[in-house]
Amino acid sequence: MNIPPESPSFSDEEMEAAAEALKWQAASARAAGAKHRARLIDQLESQAPDDATTPLG
């Protein structure tokens, strides 16, 4: 009786492609997070009174 492995096996090319895709996804997520943070800071700064002494960011 032949028992299949618990986890699928991938070729080296498939592993490299997946690793590269994850790098791009992580970079995209970081960029989206930075853009969101900048947008929030802009919103907070626009709501701050003109004489605010504590800079945001």
Side-chain angles (χ1 to χ4, degrees):
M1 180 182 204
N2 211 357
I3 300 174
E6 290 184 25
S7 61
S9 59
F10 297 98
S11 69
D12 288 343
E13 292 83 16
E14 290 171 321
M15 294 284 276
E16 289 176 22
E20 190 65 26
L22 287 174
K23 287 180 196 176
W24 283 104
Q25 288 176 359
S28 177
R30 284 191 300 273
K35 184 176 180 180
H36 181 65
R37 180 181 183 274
R39 191 178 304 128
L40 290 176
I41 290 172
D42 286 344
Q43 288 176 356
L44 289 173
E45 287 176 340
S46 69
Q47 294 173 359
D50 292 336
D51 61 351
T53 57
T54 306
L56 297 174

mmCIF file of all heavy atoms in Angstrom:
data_model
loop_
_atom_site.group_PDB
_atom_site.id
_atom_site.type_symbol
_atom_site.label_atom_id
_atom_site.label_comp_id
_atom_site.label_asym_id
_atom_site.label_seq_id
_atom_site.Cartn_x
_atom_site.Cartn_y
_atom_site.Cartn_z
ATOM 1 N N MET A 1 0.839 -1.173 0.000
ATOM 2 C CA MET A 1 0.000 0.000 0.000
ATOM 3 C C MET A 1 0.891 1.246 0.000
ATOM 4 O O MET A 1 1.847 1.338 0.750
ATOM 5 C CB MET A 1 -0.870 -0.011 1.239
ATOM 6 C CG MET A 1 -1.764 1.167 1.312
ATOM 7 S SD MET A 1 -2.576 0.960 2.771
ATOM 8 C CE MET A 1 -3.889 1.517 3.141
ATOM 9 N N ASN A 2 0.558 2.184 -0.859
ATOM 10 C CA ASN A 2 1.348 3.404 -1.007
ATOM 11 C C ASN A 2 0.640 4.556 -0.283
ATOM 12 O O ASN A 2 -0.471 4.920 -0.628
ATOM 13 C CB ASN A 2 1.495 3.701 -2.488
ATOM 14 C CG ASN A 2 2.786 4.405 -2.809
ATOM 15 O OD1 ASN A 2 3.546 4.725 -1.904
ATOM 16 N ND2 ASN A 2 3.013 4.634 -4.081
ATOM 17 N N ILE A 3 1.284 5.134 0.716
ATOM 18 C CA ILE A 3 0.698 6.235 1.484
ATOM 19 C C ILE A 3 1.272 7.550 0.956
ATOM 20 O O ILE A 3 2.493 7.705 0.900
ATOM 21 C CB ILE A 3 1.012 6.082 2.989
ATOM 22 C CG1 ILE A 3 0.423 4.761 3.497
ATOM 23 C CG2 ILE A 3 0.467 7.267 3.771
ATOM 24 C CD1 ILE A 3 0.802 4.445 4.927
ATOM 25 N N PRO A 4 0.407 8.499 0.571
ATOM 26 C CA PRO A 4 0.914 9.777 0.056
ATOM 27 C C PRO A 4 1.561 10.595 1.178
ATOM 28 O O PRO A 4 1.208 10.434 2.346
ATOM 29 C CB PRO A 4 -0.334 10.475 -0.481
ATOM 30 C CG PRO A 4 -1.465 9.831 0.248
ATOM 31 C CD PRO A 4 -1.033 8.424 0.564
ATOM 32 N N PRO A 5 2.490 11.433 0.845
ATOM 33 C CA PRO A 5 3.128 12.276 1.872
ATOM 34 C C PRO A 5 2.109 13.253 2.462
ATOM 35 O O PRO A 5 1.118 13.603 1.820
ATOM 36 C CB PRO A 5 4.219 13.016 1.104
ATOM 37 C CG PRO A 5 3.812 12.967 -0.325
ATOM 38 C CD PRO A 5 3.013 11.697 -0.483
ATOM 39 N N GLU A 6 2.371 13.691 3.687
ATOM 40 C CA GLU A 6 1.443 14.608 4.346
ATOM 41 C C GLU A 6 1.446 15.989 3.709
ATOM 42 O O GLU A 6 0.433 16.663 3.687
ATOM 43 C CB GLU A 6 1.797 14.715 5.826
ATOM 44 C CG GLU A 6 1.486 13.445 6.598
ATOM 45 C CD GLU A 6 1.753 13.618 8.073
ATOM 46 O OE1 GLU A 6 1.719 14.745 8.565
ATOM 47 O OE2 GLU A 6 1.997 12.600 8.722
ATOM 48 N N SER A 7 2.588 16.407 3.224
ATOM 49 C CA SER A 7 2.653 17.709 2.572
ATOM 50 C C SER A 7 3.055 17.512 1.118
ATOM 51 O O SER A 7 3.838 16.623 0.801
ATOM 52 C CB SER A 7 3.654 18.616 3.287
ATOM 53 O OG SER A 7 4.934 18.048 3.250
ATOM 54 N N PRO A 8 2.509 18.343 0.243
ATOM 55 C CA PRO A 8 2.851 18.182 -1.176
ATOM 56 C C PRO A 8 4.309 18.558 -1.427
ATOM 57 O O PRO A 8 4.887 19.369 -0.708
ATOM 58 C CB PRO A 8 1.915 19.166 -1.879
ATOM 59 C CG PRO A 8 1.542 20.153 -0.847
ATOM 60 C CD PRO A 8 1.593 19.433 0.477
ATOM 61 N N SER A 9 4.890 17.939 -2.397
ATOM 62 C CA SER A 9 6.264 18.288 -2.746
ATOM 63 C C SER A 9 6.230 19.211 -3.963
ATOM 64 O O SER A 9 5.402 19.062 -4.855
ATOM 65 C CB SER A 9 7.079 17.032 -3.042
ATOM 66 O OG SER A 9 6.494 16.319 -4.103
ATOM 67 N N PHE A 10 7.123 20.183 -3.958
ATOM 68 C CA PHE A 10 7.185 21.150 -5.038
ATOM 69 C C PHE A 10 8.567 21.082 -5.679
ATOM 70 O O PHE A 10 9.558 20.789 -5.015
ATOM 71 C CB PHE A 10 6.957 22.572 -4.507
ATOM 72 C CG PHE A 10 5.594 22.766 -3.912
ATOM 73 C CD1 PHE A 10 5.411 22.689 -2.539
ATOM 74 C CD2 PHE A 10 4.494 23.030 -4.712
ATOM 75 C CE1 PHE A 10 4.158 22.873 -1.984
ATOM 76 C CE2 PHE A 10 3.241 23.219 -4.161
ATOM 77 C CZ PHE A 10 3.070 23.131 -2.791
ATOM 78 N N SER A 11 8.608 21.408 -6.941
ATOM 79 C CA SER A 11 9.898 21.446 -7.626
ATOM 80 C C SER A 11 10.659 22.698 -7.176
ATOM 81 O O SER A 11 10.085 23.624 -6.604
ATOM 82 C CB SER A 11 9.691 21.487 -9.140
ATOM 83 O OG SER A 11 9.135 22.738 -9.521
ATOM 84 N N ASP A 12 11.935 22.729 -7.440
ATOM 85 C CA ASP A 12 12.747 23.900 -7.093
ATOM 86 C C ASP A 12 12.219 25.149 -7.796
ATOM 87 O O ASP A 12 12.183 26.227 -7.207
ATOM 88 C CB ASP A 12 14.210 23.682 -7.466
ATOM 89 C CG ASP A 12 14.899 22.679 -6.537
ATOM 90 O OD1 ASP A 12 14.363 22.405 -5.439
ATOM 91 O OD2 ASP A 12 15.974 22.184 -6.920
ATOM 92 N N GLU A 13 11.804 24.997 -9.048
ATOM 93 C CA GLU A 13 11.282 26.136 -9.806
ATOM 94 C C GLU A 13 10.001 26.667 -9.171
ATOM 95 O O GLU A 13 9.801 27.882 -9.085
ATOM 96 C CB GLU A 13 11.017 25.742 -11.264
ATOM 97 C CG GLU A 13 12.270 25.436 -12.060
ATOM 98 C CD GLU A 13 12.764 24.007 -11.852
ATOM 99 O OE1 GLU A 13 11.999 23.153 -11.347
ATOM 100 O OE2 GLU A 13 13.938 23.747 -12.178
ATOM 101 N N GLU A 14 9.135 25.760 -8.735
ATOM 102 C CA GLU A 14 7.891 26.187 -8.088
ATOM 103 C C GLU A 14 8.176 26.901 -6.764
ATOM 104 O O GLU A 14 7.541 27.905 -6.439
ATOM 105 C CB GLU A 14 6.971 24.988 -7.849
ATOM 106 C CG GLU A 14 6.387 24.403 -9.111
ATOM 107 C CD GLU A 14 5.663 23.094 -8.875
ATOM 108 O OE1 GLU A 14 6.150 22.270 -8.066
ATOM 109 O OE2 GLU A 14 4.606 22.907 -9.499
ATOM 110 N N MET A 15 9.143 26.394 -6.015
ATOM 111 C CA MET A 15 9.507 27.020 -4.738
ATOM 112 C C MET A 15 10.081 28.412 -4.977
ATOM 113 O O MET A 15 9.753 29.365 -4.268
ATOM 114 C CB MET A 15 10.521 26.153 -3.994
ATOM 115 C CG MET A 15 9.957 24.818 -3.547
ATOM 116 S SD MET A 15 8.908 24.956 -2.122
ATOM 117 C CE MET A 15 10.159 24.934 -0.861
ATOM 118 N N GLU A 16 10.935 28.551 -5.974
ATOM 119 C CA GLU A 16 11.526 29.853 -6.287
ATOM 120 C C GLU A 16 10.465 30.840 -6.754
ATOM 121 O O GLU A 16 10.484 32.013 -6.365
ATOM 122 C CB GLU A 16 12.621 29.705 -7.339
ATOM 123 C CG GLU A 16 13.870 29.023 -6.800
ATOM 124 C CD GLU A 16 14.915 28.801 -7.878
ATOM 125 O OE1 GLU A 16 14.889 29.511 -8.906
ATOM 126 O OE2 GLU A 16 15.768 27.914 -7.687
ATOM 127 N N ALA A 17 9.538 30.368 -7.571
ATOM 128 C CA ALA A 17 8.460 31.243 -8.054
ATOM 129 C C ALA A 17 7.580 31.701 -6.895
ATOM 130 O O ALA A 17 7.192 32.877 -6.826
ATOM 131 C CB ALA A 17 7.627 30.508 -9.107
ATOM 132 N N ALA A 18 7.272 30.806 -5.985
ATOM 133 C CA ALA A 18 6.455 31.161 -4.828
ATOM 134 C C ALA A 18 7.186 32.152 -3.933
ATOM 135 O O ALA A 18 6.590 33.123 -3.447
ATOM 136 C CB ALA A 18 6.078 29.904 -4.041
ATOM 137 N N ALA A 19 8.474 31.942 -3.722
ATOM 138 C CA ALA A 19 9.266 32.858 -2.894
ATOM 139 C C ALA A 19 9.301 34.247 -3.527
ATOM 140 O O ALA A 19 9.174 35.257 -2.840
ATOM 141 C CB ALA A 19 10.672 32.312 -2.704
ATOM 142 N N GLU A 20 9.478 34.305 -4.823
ATOM 143 C CA GLU A 20 9.508 35.594 -5.523
ATOM 144 C C GLU A 20 8.149 36.292 -5.431
ATOM 145 O O GLU A 20 8.076 37.499 -5.203
ATOM 146 C CB GLU A 20 9.905 35.378 -6.987
ATOM 147 C CG GLU A 20 10.208 36.641 -7.739
ATOM 148 C CD GLU A 20 11.422 37.378 -7.227
ATOM 149 O OE1 GLU A 20 12.327 36.770 -6.641
ATOM 150 O OE2 GLU A 20 11.459 38.621 -7.416
ATOM 151 N N ALA A 21 7.085 35.531 -5.591
ATOM 152 C CA ALA A 21 5.739 36.111 -5.488
ATOM 153 C C ALA A 21 5.504 36.661 -4.079
ATOM 154 O O ALA A 21 4.919 37.740 -3.917
ATOM 155 C CB ALA A 21 4.685 35.073 -5.842
ATOM 156 N N LEU A 22 5.954 35.942 -3.072
ATOM 157 C CA LEU A 22 5.782 36.420 -1.695
ATOM 158 C C LEU A 22 6.571 37.696 -1.450
ATOM 159 O O LEU A 22 6.109 38.590 -0.730
ATOM 160 C CB LEU A 22 6.193 35.334 -0.702
ATOM 161 C CG LEU A 22 5.221 34.167 -0.577
ATOM 162 C CD1 LEU A 22 5.799 33.093 0.325
ATOM 163 C CD2 LEU A 22 3.881 34.639 -0.051
ATOM 164 N N LYS A 23 7.751 37.812 -2.042
ATOM 165 C CA LYS A 23 8.536 39.045 -1.907
ATOM 166 C C LYS A 23 7.754 40.230 -2.465
ATOM 167 O O LYS A 23 7.691 41.292 -1.848
ATOM 168 C CB LYS A 23 9.868 38.927 -2.646
ATOM 169 C CG LYS A 23 10.879 38.039 -1.978
ATOM 170 C CD LYS A 23 12.151 38.011 -2.822
ATOM 171 C CE LYS A 23 13.054 36.866 -2.449
ATOM 172 N NZ LYS A 23 14.230 36.792 -3.325
ATOM 173 N N TRP A 24 7.167 40.040 -3.652
ATOM 174 C CA TRP A 24 6.405 41.127 -4.275
ATOM 175 C C TRP A 24 5.157 41.452 -3.468
ATOM 176 O O TRP A 24 4.783 42.619 -3.334
ATOM 177 C CB TRP A 24 6.037 40.768 -5.715
ATOM 178 C CG TRP A 24 7.191 40.921 -6.646
ATOM 179 C CD1 TRP A 24 7.958 39.922 -7.184
ATOM 180 C CD2 TRP A 24 7.761 42.137 -7.130
ATOM 181 N NE1 TRP A 24 8.950 40.446 -7.971
ATOM 182 C CE2 TRP A 24 8.854 41.802 -7.950
ATOM 183 C CE3 TRP A 24 7.449 43.483 -6.945
ATOM 184 C CZ2 TRP A 24 9.620 42.764 -8.592
ATOM 185 C CZ3 TRP A 24 8.216 44.438 -7.579
ATOM 186 C CH2 TRP A 24 9.283 44.075 -8.391
ATOM 187 N N GLN A 25 4.495 40.440 -2.926
ATOM 188 C CA GLN A 25 3.300 40.680 -2.117
ATOM 189 C C GLN A 25 3.657 41.443 -0.848
ATOM 190 O O GLN A 25 2.932 42.351 -0.432
ATOM 191 C CB GLN A 25 2.612 39.362 -1.765
ATOM 192 C CG GLN A 25 1.924 38.719 -2.948
ATOM 193 C CD GLN A 25 1.339 37.357 -2.604
ATOM 194 O OE1 GLN A 25 1.449 36.877 -1.488
ATOM 195 N NE2 GLN A 25 0.715 36.729 -3.579
ATOM 196 N N ALA A 26 4.768 41.095 -0.225
ATOM 197 C CA ALA A 26 5.203 41.785 0.987
ATOM 198 C C ALA A 26 5.550 43.236 0.677
ATOM 199 O O ALA A 26 5.186 44.146 1.427
ATOM 200 C CB ALA A 26 6.396 41.061 1.612
ATOM 201 N N ALA A 27 6.240 43.471 -0.420
ATOM 202 C CA ALA A 27 6.592 44.839 -0.809
ATOM 203 C C ALA A 27 5.338 45.658 -1.088
ATOM 204 O O ALA A 27 5.238 46.824 -0.692
ATOM 205 C CB ALA A 27 7.504 44.814 -2.033
ATOM 206 N N SER A 28 4.376 45.049 -1.742
ATOM 207 C CA SER A 28 3.124 45.730 -2.041
ATOM 208 C C SER A 28 2.366 46.073 -0.761
ATOM 209 O O SER A 28 1.820 47.165 -0.619
ATOM 210 C CB SER A 28 2.257 44.846 -2.948
ATOM 211 O OG SER A 28 1.017 45.460 -3.184
ATOM 212 N N ALA A 29 2.358 45.146 0.184
ATOM 213 C CA ALA A 29 1.677 45.386 1.460
ATOM 214 C C ALA A 29 2.362 46.506 2.240
ATOM 215 O O ALA A 29 1.689 47.352 2.845
ATOM 216 C CB ALA A 29 1.642 44.105 2.287
ATOM 217 N N ARG A 30 3.697 46.531 2.226
ATOM 218 C CA ARG A 30 4.428 47.612 2.903
ATOM 219 C C ARG A 30 4.109 48.959 2.268
ATOM 220 O O ARG A 30 3.902 49.960 2.955
ATOM 221 C CB ARG A 30 5.935 47.354 2.871
ATOM 222 C CG ARG A 30 6.389 46.303 3.865
ATOM 223 C CD ARG A 30 7.905 46.269 3.998
ATOM 224 N NE ARG A 30 8.580 45.955 2.743
ATOM 225 C CZ ARG A 30 8.841 44.734 2.314
ATOM 226 N NH1 ARG A 30 8.494 43.685 3.038
ATOM 227 N NH2 ARG A 30 9.455 44.538 1.172
ATOM 228 N N ALA A 31 4.072 49.006 0.944
ATOM 229 C CA ALA A 31 3.769 50.252 0.243
ATOM 230 C C ALA A 31 2.346 50.719 0.559
ATOM 231 O O ALA A 31 2.119 51.911 0.792
ATOM 232 C CB ALA A 31 3.946 50.064 -1.263
ATOM 233 N N ALA A 32 1.408 49.790 0.587
ATOM 234 C CA ALA A 32 0.028 50.152 0.915
ATOM 235 C C ALA A 32 -0.065 50.664 2.348
ATOM 236 O O ALA A 32 -0.779 51.633 2.624
ATOM 237 C CB ALA A 32 -0.891 48.946 0.712
ATOM 238 N N GLY A 33 0.670 50.042 3.265
ATOM 239 C CA GLY A 33 0.677 50.488 4.660
ATOM 240 C C GLY A 33 1.262 51.877 4.794
ATOM 241 O O GLY A 33 0.736 52.719 5.537
ATOM 242 N N ALA A 34 2.343 52.157 4.074
ATOM 243 C CA ALA A 34 2.967 53.482 4.120
ATOM 244 C C ALA A 34 2.027 54.538 3.547
ATOM 245 O O ALA A 34 1.914 55.644 4.091
ATOM 246 C CB ALA A 34 4.280 53.459 3.349
ATOM 247 N N LYS A 35 1.347 54.201 2.477
ATOM 248 C CA LYS A 35 0.405 55.144 1.862
ATOM 249 C C LYS A 35 -0.751 55.428 2.816
ATOM 250 O O LYS A 35 -1.174 56.575 2.969
ATOM 251 C CB LYS A 35 -0.113 54.555 0.543
ATOM 252 C CG LYS A 35 -1.015 55.474 -0.237
ATOM 253 C CD LYS A 35 -1.402 54.842 -1.563
ATOM 254 C CE LYS A 35 -2.300 55.759 -2.363
ATOM 255 N NZ LYS A 35 -2.686 55.159 -3.641
ATOM 256 N N HIS A 36 -1.248 54.400 3.463
ATOM 257 C CA HIS A 36 -2.345 54.558 4.413
ATOM 258 C C HIS A 36 -1.899 55.418 5.598
ATOM 259 O O HIS A 36 -2.628 56.312 6.035
ATOM 260 C CB HIS A 36 -2.811 53.182 4.897
ATOM 261 C CG HIS A 36 -3.953 53.229 5.855
ATOM 262 N ND1 HIS A 36 -5.200 53.683 5.503
ATOM 263 C CD2 HIS A 36 -4.032 52.895 7.160
ATOM 264 C CE1 HIS A 36 -6.004 53.628 6.560
ATOM 265 N NE2 HIS A 36 -5.315 53.150 7.576
ATOM 266 N N ARG A 37 -0.698 55.167 6.103
ATOM 267 C CA ARG A 37 -0.170 55.947 7.232
ATOM 268 C C ARG A 37 -0.041 57.414 6.843
ATOM 269 O O ARG A 37 -0.427 58.304 7.602
ATOM 270 C CB ARG A 37 1.193 55.400 7.655
ATOM 271 C CG ARG A 37 1.803 56.152 8.822
ATOM 272 C CD ARG A 37 3.176 55.556 9.179
ATOM 273 N NE ARG A 37 3.747 56.209 10.327
ATOM 274 C CZ ARG A 37 4.467 57.329 10.277
ATOM 275 N NH1 ARG A 37 4.692 57.912 9.120
ATOM 276 N NH2 ARG A 37 4.959 57.854 11.380
ATOM 277 N N ALA A 38 0.494 57.684 5.660
ATOM 278 C CA ALA A 38 0.641 59.064 5.202
ATOM 279 C C ALA A 38 -0.717 59.746 5.085
ATOM 280 O O ALA A 38 -0.867 60.914 5.453
ATOM 281 C CB ALA A 38 1.375 59.092 3.862
ATOM 282 N N ARG A 39 -1.705 59.021 4.588
ATOM 283 C CA ARG A 39 -3.054 59.579 4.461
ATOM 284 C C ARG A 39 -3.634 59.913 5.834
ATOM 285 O O ARG A 39 -4.226 60.983 6.026
ATOM 286 C CB ARG A 39 -3.958 58.589 3.722
ATOM 287 C CG ARG A 39 -5.295 59.182 3.320
ATOM 288 C CD ARG A 39 -6.169 58.207 2.537
ATOM 289 N NE ARG A 39 -5.499 57.712 1.355
ATOM 290 C CZ ARG A 39 -5.371 56.422 1.058
ATOM 291 N NH1 ARG A 39 -5.852 55.499 1.857
ATOM 292 N NH2 ARG A 39 -4.753 56.042 -0.035
ATOM 293 N N LEU A 40 -3.432 59.026 6.810
ATOM 294 C CA LEU A 40 -3.930 59.284 8.157
ATOM 295 C C LEU A 40 -3.238 60.494 8.790
ATOM 296 O O LEU A 40 -3.884 61.322 9.441
ATOM 297 C CB LEU A 40 -3.741 58.054 9.046
ATOM 298 C CG LEU A 40 -4.629 56.859 8.740
ATOM 299 C CD1 LEU A 40 -4.253 55.685 9.630
ATOM 300 C CD2 LEU A 40 -6.096 57.217 8.926
ATOM 301 N N ILE A 41 -1.931 60.592 8.588
ATOM 302 C CA ILE A 41 -1.197 61.738 9.129
ATOM 303 C C ILE A 41 -1.698 63.030 8.500
ATOM 304 O O ILE A 41 -1.909 64.030 9.191
ATOM 305 C CB ILE A 41 0.321 61.559 8.933
ATOM 306 C CG1 ILE A 41 0.819 60.447 9.865
ATOM 307 C CG2 ILE A 41 1.071 62.857 9.195
ATOM 308 C CD1 ILE A 41 2.253 60.043 9.632
ATOM 309 N N ASP A 42 -1.919 63.024 7.194
ATOM 310 C CA ASP A 42 -2.460 64.215 6.525
ATOM 311 C C ASP A 42 -3.821 64.602 7.107
ATOM 312 O O ASP A 42 -4.086 65.782 7.336
ATOM 313 C CB ASP A 42 -2.594 63.982 5.021
ATOM 314 C CG ASP A 42 -1.265 64.004 4.290
ATOM 315 O OD1 ASP A 42 -0.272 64.489 4.882
ATOM 316 O OD2 ASP A 42 -1.225 63.540 3.139
ATOM 317 N N GLN A 43 -4.665 63.612 7.359
ATOM 318 C CA GLN A 43 -5.980 63.894 7.938
ATOM 319 C C GLN A 43 -5.849 64.485 9.334
ATOM 320 O O GLN A 43 -6.523 65.459 9.667
ATOM 321 C CB GLN A 43 -6.829 62.621 7.990
ATOM 322 C CG GLN A 43 -7.315 62.151 6.645
ATOM 323 C CD GLN A 43 -8.064 60.826 6.744
ATOM 324 O OE1 GLN A 43 -8.163 60.225 7.809
ATOM 325 N NE2 GLN A 43 -8.594 60.374 5.622
ATOM 326 N N LEU A 44 -4.967 63.911 10.147
ATOM 327 C CA LEU A 44 -4.782 64.413 11.507
ATOM 328 C C LEU A 44 -4.199 65.825 11.495
ATOM 329 O O LEU A 44 -4.608 66.676 12.286
ATOM 330 C CB LEU A 44 -3.885 63.470 12.308
ATOM 331 C CG LEU A 44 -4.501 62.133 12.681
ATOM 332 C CD1 LEU A 44 -3.456 61.217 13.312
ATOM 333 C CD2 LEU A 44 -5.676 62.318 13.621
ATOM 334 N N GLU A 45 -3.248 66.062 10.615
ATOM 335 C CA GLU A 45 -2.655 67.392 10.539
ATOM 336 C C GLU A 45 -3.665 68.433 10.080
ATOM 337 O O GLU A 45 -3.636 69.567 10.527
ATOM 338 C CB GLU A 45 -1.434 67.383 9.632
ATOM 339 C CG GLU A 45 -0.241 66.697 10.255
ATOM 340 C CD GLU A 45 0.955 66.601 9.327
ATOM 341 O OE1 GLU A 45 0.764 66.708 8.088
ATOM 342 O OE2 GLU A 45 2.069 66.409 9.839
ATOM 343 N N SER A 46 -4.555 68.046 9.204
ATOM 344 C CA SER A 46 -5.556 69.002 8.725
ATOM 345 C C SER A 46 -6.594 69.297 9.810
ATOM 346 O O SER A 46 -7.228 70.348 9.788
ATOM 347 C CB SER A 46 -6.252 68.475 7.467
ATOM 348 O OG SER A 46 -7.064 67.364 7.781
ATOM 349 N N GLN A 47 -6.752 68.408 10.789
ATOM 350 C CA GLN A 47 -7.692 68.621 11.886
ATOM 351 C C GLN A 47 -7.034 69.338 13.062
ATOM 352 O O GLN A 47 -7.723 69.858 13.925
ATOM 353 C CB GLN A 47 -8.241 67.281 12.379
ATOM 354 C CG GLN A 47 -9.095 66.558 11.370
ATOM 355 C CD GLN A 47 -9.488 65.171 11.827
ATOM 356 O OE1 GLN A 47 -9.111 64.739 12.904
ATOM 357 N NE2 GLN A 47 -10.233 64.467 11.001
ATOM 358 N N ALA A 48 -5.716 69.388 13.103
ATOM 359 C CA ALA A 48 -5.004 69.987 14.238
ATOM 360 C C ALA A 48 -5.190 71.503 14.193
ATOM 361 O O ALA A 48 -5.243 72.103 13.132
ATOM 362 C CB ALA A 48 -3.525 69.632 14.164
ATOM 363 N N PRO A 49 -5.261 72.134 15.359
ATOM 364 C CA PRO A 49 -5.356 73.591 15.387
ATOM 365 C C PRO A 49 -4.067 74.223 14.841
ATOM 366 O O PRO A 49 -3.003 73.604 14.851
ATOM 367 C CB PRO A 49 -5.537 73.923 16.867
ATOM 368 C CG PRO A 49 -5.194 72.688 17.614
ATOM 369 C CD PRO A 49 -5.298 71.536 16.667
ATOM 370 N N ASP A 50 -4.181 75.437 14.335
ATOM 371 C CA ASP A 50 -3.024 76.114 13.732
ATOM 372 C C ASP A 50 -1.889 76.340 14.715
ATOM 373 O O ASP A 50 -0.731 76.403 14.313
ATOM 374 C CB ASP A 50 -3.461 77.451 13.124
ATOM 375 C CG ASP A 50 -4.353 77.260 11.924
ATOM 376 O OD1 ASP A 50 -4.278 76.182 11.299
ATOM 377 O OD2 ASP A 50 -5.121 78.182 11.616
ATOM 378 N N ASP A 51 -2.191 76.475 16.001
ATOM 379 C CA ASP A 51 -1.141 76.744 16.982
ATOM 380 C C ASP A 51 -0.624 75.486 17.671
ATOM 381 O O ASP A 51 0.000 75.556 18.706
ATOM 382 C CB ASP A 51 -1.631 77.752 18.031
ATOM 383 C CG ASP A 51 -2.836 77.217 18.794
ATOM 384 O OD1 ASP A 51 -3.385 76.171 18.400
ATOM 385 O OD2 ASP A 51 -3.231 77.847 19.787
ATOM 386 N N ALA A 52 -0.870 74.316 17.071
ATOM 387 C CA ALA A 52 -0.389 73.057 17.655
ATOM 388 C C ALA A 52 1.137 73.049 17.660
ATOM 389 O O ALA A 52 1.778 73.427 16.682
ATOM 390 C CB ALA A 52 -0.906 71.866 16.864
ATOM 391 N N THR A 53 1.721 72.651 18.775
ATOM 392 C CA THR A 53 3.184 72.677 18.896
ATOM 393 C C THR A 53 3.799 71.301 18.685
ATOM 394 O O THR A 53 4.993 71.193 18.514
ATOM 395 C CB THR A 53 3.598 73.199 20.292
ATOM 396 O OG1 THR A 53 2.999 72.374 21.287
ATOM 397 C CG2 THR A 53 3.154 74.637 20.464
ATOM 398 N N THR A 54 3.010 70.237 18.725
ATOM 399 C CA THR A 54 3.545 68.892 18.572
ATOM 400 C C THR A 54 3.357 68.435 17.128
ATOM 401 O O THR A 54 2.227 68.258 16.683
ATOM 402 C CB THR A 54 2.825 67.899 19.520
ATOM 403 O OG1 THR A 54 2.906 68.399 20.834
ATOM 404 C CG2 THR A 54 3.449 66.525 19.429
ATOM 405 N N PRO A 55 4.449 68.270 16.377
ATOM 406 C CA PRO A 55 4.299 67.806 14.991
ATOM 407 C C PRO A 55 3.901 66.337 14.962
ATOM 408 O O PRO A 55 4.289 65.561 15.818
ATOM 409 C CB PRO A 55 5.681 68.007 14.389
ATOM 410 C CG PRO A 55 6.611 67.972 15.557
ATOM 411 C CD PRO A 55 5.825 68.506 16.740
ATOM 412 N N LEU A 56 3.110 65.988 13.974
ATOM 413 C CA LEU A 56 2.723 64.596 13.788
ATOM 414 C C LEU A 56 3.667 63.969 12.785
ATOM 415 O O LEU A 56 4.121 64.608 11.858
ATOM 416 C CB LEU A 56 1.290 64.510 13.282
ATOM 417 C CG LEU A 56 0.212 65.054 14.219
ATOM 418 C CD1 LEU A 56 -1.134 65.034 13.518
ATOM 419 C CD2 LEU A 56 0.161 64.226 15.484
ATOM 420 N N GLY A 57 3.892 62.638 12.949
ATOM 421 C CA GLY A 57 4.703 61.942 11.954
ATOM 422 C C GLY A 57 5.955 61.471 12.468
ATOM 423 O O GLY A 57 6.726 61.146 13.057
#
